[in-house]
Amino acid sequence: TPPPARPSILLVTLDTTRVDHLSAYGYERDTTPNLSRLAADGVTFTRAYSVASWTLPAHASLFTGKYPSSHGASHDPDGALVLSDGIEAASDAEREKYRIFRARGMGRDEQTLAELLSGAGHRSAGVVGGPWLKRVFGLSRGFAHWDEDEITSAGGRRASAVSDRAIAWLDALAADTPFLLFLNYFDAHMPYQPPRWLLRGYLDDPVAARDADRDATLRRASYDAEILYADMNFGRVIDRLKSLGRYDETLIVVTADHGELLGEHSLYGHPARLYEELTRIPLIVKFPKRRDAGTRVDEPIQLVDLFALILDQAGIDIPPGIQGQVPGRITHPIFTEEAPAFAGDEALRALYEGSEKLLWGSGGTRKLHDLARDPKEQRDLASE
């Protein structure tokens, strides 16, 4: 008998997307109808964690199976990678504003998911929405095709453009060619500027009417509408896979690189912190032939483990030195980290054990939270 066909892989990151704002995870607004449909055919992981609170290290961990301190991609106040280099068509003033965001890339000898899958015969492509995913920052390593057109500002490009390019690439592929298609939807990232017709639906809803703070209402509605817009366009790609007859055999992995603060801890966006709103992420996996459809998994899992999961499903040996592990056999601790973004910042580490979370900072920060009793991280138990 011939060996089983290697599955194709669709790997999707919903940039800056909080797990608690997804209807697929029980959120009160219907923000993710397409992701909910995928979850019905797949496995929902309820305790998925990033490894960091921003794009570059999180994606590098997804692509290498290693933590940021191992693969090297992270904030670095003296780093050679500068965000303004990724938005070359923006005005001089805007580029100057983003010159303060500096980083270093992943090590030259890191072997990537795209390199391994390409070497095994998969056709590989990435279509990205956010500026930190532009080729200049190194995450395209190993992809035969990388589409970053139209990313000319820090706001990235819309989900509709990402899906248009993804669908065109799928349409041009021979029907029996296994593929790796990576998509990054950047819509939920600031500035929140969803299509107005989507936003209107949320501003008229009862959730908004309850909220006395108009700015908070508008911010939350705009953020949710951006998530819905990304979900609608993700749904177009799923529909095309189905019409091409490739949905059942494709391994589909949908996650996020990190979350977002919408006023919690008096903060907005995703600063170099390790709060739960930033580090908890969605993860839904649709296995080939819809194996284990509709199930939920409560064991903790991280972005580093998706590297191992994908290689395992593709029948490719997992390289030595990888820190991620195959789900069901994960024994490593759950661990997140942040390098200092600016001179004088603390390096931060968070370690999870059961419901407890220990936060350590290089400048003396020591905090302990019991997330079962204190999910909003209001009560520090370190002194006890």
Side-chain angles (χ1 to χ4, degrees):
T1 59
R6 288 210 158 131
S8 291
I9 295 132
L10 174 63
L11 175 59
V12 178
T13 54
L14 304 171
D15 218 287
T16 323
T17 298
R18 279 172 67 140
V19 68
D20 62 349
H21 277 245
L22 306 186
S23 51
Y25 280 82
Y27 185 50
E28 56 202 337
R29 285 178 173 156
D30 189 15
T31 50
T32 53
N34 289 293
L35 200 55
S36 296
R37 275 195 283 277
L38 185 76
D41 285 344
V43 179
T44 300
F45 291 83
T46 62
R47 292 187 64 200
Y49 280 92
S50 186
V51 293
S53 68
W54 72 289
T55 302
L56 186 67
H59 280 90
S61 290
L62 181 62
F63 290 164
T64 64
K66 296 183 179 180
Y67 288 91
S69 47
S70 293
H71 61 58
S74 70
H75 284 301
D76 183 345
D78 302 312
L81 305 180
V82 186
L83 180 55
S84 51
D85 292 344
I87 51 175
E88 62 283 335
S91 68
D92 289 347
E94 186 180 6
R95 290 183 63 203
E96 194 56 43
K97 188 168 72 172
Y98 290 105
R99 205 170 293 286
I100 59 169
F101 297 105
R102 304 183 75 102
R104 60 175 185 271
M106 57 186 174
R108 290 182 186 281
D109 52 354
E110 296 299 341
Q111 206 171 17
T112 68
L113 188 64
E115 286 173 326
L116 289 162
L117 286 162
S118 297
H122 283 70
R123 286 283 296 283
S124 60
V127 186
V128 300
W132 278 114
L133 286 115
K134 294 190 78 165
R135 197 178 275 106
V136 66
F137 300 121
L139 292 170
S140 61
R141 189 187 303 172
F143 284 92
H145 175 73
W146 192 258
D147 185 323
E148 57 182 46
D149 295 350
E150 305 161 28
I151 302 175
T152 57
S153 76
R157 64 170 166 177
R158 283 209 186 277
S160 51
V162 172
S163 289
D164 286 349
R165 296 298 180 90
I167 288 168
W169 186 83
L170 285 169
D171 285 349
L173 207 58
D176 56 350
T177 306
F179 64 81
L180 164 65
L181 177 58
F182 165 68
L183 305 179
N184 165 254
Y185 291 103
F186 196 66
D187 302 74
H189 195 284
M190 281 197 281
Y192 315 131
Q193 293 172 334
R196 305 220 33 161
W197 56 276
L198 279 181
L199 179 59
R200 274 200 299 271
Y202 283 154
L203 287 177
D204 293 340
D205 79 3
V207 177
R210 281 211 306 268
D211 194 330
D213 180 342
R214 191 172 179 284
D215 286 347
T217 300
L218 184 59
R219 183 183 296 110
R220 179 176 167 180
S222 300
Y223 179 72
D224 289 348
E226 291 278 36
I227 292 173
L228 177 58
Y229 189 67
D231 180 83
M232 288 167 57
N233 283 285
F234 162 71
R236 292 171 53 219
V237 177
I238 296 300
D239 288 345
R240 186 55 60 101
L241 281 178
K242 288 178 177 174
S243 67
L244 292 169
R246 305 205 63 167
Y247 176 76
D248 271 353
E249 49 104 1
T250 301
L251 172 70
I252 302 175
V253 179
V254 183
T255 187
D257 50 355
H258 55 79
E260 184 81 325
L261 287 160
L262 298 170
E264 300 86 358
H265 314 286
S266 302
L267 293 168
Y268 297 92
H270 42 281
R273 304 285 195 281
L274 295 176
Y275 293 117
E276 293 296 281
E277 292 86 356
L278 297 173
T279 59
R280 285 283 306 279
I281 53 174
L283 173 60
I284 292 171
V285 180
K286 197 280 296 176
F287 289 98
K289 307 280 186 275
R290 310 187 200 195
R291 198 176 75 246
D292 301 327
T295 58
R296 293 170 79 83
V297 174
D298 298 327
E299 276 79 23
I301 185 170
Q302 290 198 269
L303 287 179
V304 287
D305 303 313
L306 301 187
F307 179 92
L309 169 113
I310 291 168
L311 292 181
D312 182 61
Q313 289 296 308
I316 298 171
D317 290 340
I318 296 165
I322 297 310
Q323 293 168 310
Q325 295 166 320
V326 177
R329 307 200 288 274
I330 296 172
T331 58
H332 65 74
I334 300 299
F335 179 75
T336 60
E337 54 182 334
E338 273 300 345
F342 304 106
D345 282 1
E346 283 191 289
L348 294 172
R349 307 275 184 271
L351 184 69
Y352 295 80
E353 189 170 301
S355 67
E356 291 186 327
K357 175 183 181 180
L358 177 68
L359 187 73
W360 173 93
S362 59
T365 295
R366 300 288 184 275
K367 289 184 178 177
L368 179 67
H369 296 286
D370 181 351
L371 298 172
R373 295 197 182 97
D374 176 28
K376 304 280 186 206
E377 297 171 276
Q378 303 293 318
R379 185 165 171 239
D380 178 17
L381 304 173
S383 61
E384 298 171 34

